Amino acid sequence: MKLRAADLAVLGGPPEFPQPLYVGRPNVGDTTRLFTRLEGALARNWLTNGGPLVREFERRVAEAVGVRHCVATCNGTAALQLVARAIGMRGEVVVPALTFAATPHALEWLGLRPVFCDVDPRTGNADAASVAAAITPRTSAILAVHLWGRPCAADELEALADRHGLPLVFDAAQAFGATYLGRPVGGFGAAEVFSFHATKVVNAFEGGCVVTDDADLAERMRAMCNFGMNGSREVLGPGTNAKMSEASAAMGLTSLEAYGGSVAGNLASHRRYTRELAGIEGIRQLRFDDRERNNYHYEVIAVDPSVGLDRDTLAEVLTAENVIVQKYFSPGCHRLPPYRDRAQVSLPHADALAARVLALPTGPSVSTEDVRRICDLIRFAVAHAPTLANRAEAYLAG
Ligand code: T4K
């Protein structure tokens, strides 16, 4: 327990935690089941190219999110590119500025032009008004994001996309298992994309997928994912290699089985964060809508610098204590190369949030007692803001 400011690790004291705590450590599940699956794949001598584990994983994911088709891929970025090509995106695509770099990069890499829209200052998600403001005659599609696993206003975006005759795709990389208006994320728009990266609530080592109810789109993606070849090995058009391997599917299936336990742990952490953070001046916790199902995987706060402590200083303080926080997502993507060199309207809400947000440790290896101690550190840092601010000034002065 810290008694004086000098006890903070950033000021020379010992770190609060001997081992680092992270945002989203892998949700592995039952390793015996994982090894059995891996042994099965090795015994079959069938390691990739739509093997039985990949097909089972696709079935399970489609069932879990209530869609007809799931095309598994080697990662979420490849899944974004697959759906962008298959749906015929060209020219400009509207994307929210506050997201992981993968969202616009996936488009840019294909020669498309991400056009950034601002976000709702309370949720960080793109709403219909911010998307509408970014639509031009060159817009070919909208790629919205369920940021931090909190679903965006998908119904309003669907209505907007319909009015403009534009395909709407959701980057749901962070939102597996969530619902919006009681409907599972995965079934909105023309298609949705999940990531199963090691740090996600369901992990496949590396992995991703596109889910859709559109059979033609699914068939095109299935071919494009495998060098453009259909099931009879005829090349139908250009394709890539975005296939998921059997090893990844083995992990994905095992992690999926552990999903309930993982979310229960995240929810316990979330409740403790809610209780402990309440009343800390200048710290706003980003809410989940508790009427919906959520994965509670990203615990995000916004730090109001008017309390004398800015987000970057708090991040430095916590990191020194072995609380490995993440500035998800800072800066906004419109400020990243190459996008920052392009003419861009001002995006004040995205900028304001990007300067303030911080993701705190969650996941299977974080206990509620860890959460209490993390919040004590945050409270302590806020209480000692002037000392920490002076330290930063002294450091900058050399
Ligand atoms: N769209 C959105 C909205 C996304 O958030 C993402 C990915 C994508 C698209 C693209 O999906 P993928 O192509 O990745 O499938 C991490 C993840 O690498 C990335 O998947 C994720 N979003 C992003 C939000 O976070 P980094 O570079 O910030 O962190 P990373 O991977 O170095 O590690 C983060 C944390 O996890 C640390 O806290 C350390 C810990 N860790 C990491 C790994 C890899 C572990 O404990 N074990 C591990 O195996 O990107």
Side-chain angles (χ1 to χ4, degrees), residues 48 54 57-58 70-84 100-103 105-107 109-110 170-174 192-200 202-211 221 225 240-245 248-249:
T48 183
V54 169
F57 183 63
E58 290 179 332
C70 169
V71 179
T73 58
C74 52
N75 58 53
T77 305
L80 285 169
Q81 295 185 323
L82 198 61
V83 69
F100 191 49
T103 315
H105 282 357
L107 302 172
W109 198 255
L110 294 180
F170 289 94
D171 178 339
Q174 305 175 355
E192 301 209 46
V193 166
F194 292 114
S195 164
F196 302 115
H197 180 259
T199 55
K200 294 291 187 289
V202 172
N203 102 84
F205 299 129
E206 289 270 8
C209 74
V210 188
V211 289
M221 290 192 294
C225 187
T240 184
N241 180 0
K243 300 185 299 287
M244 177 179 271
S245 74
S248 278

Side-chain angles (χ1 to χ4, degrees), residues 55-67:
R55 292 290 172 254
E56 186 185 348
F57 183 63
E58 290 179 332
R59 265 197 315 280
R60 295 270 182 94
V61 168
E63 257 169 46
V65 302
V67 295

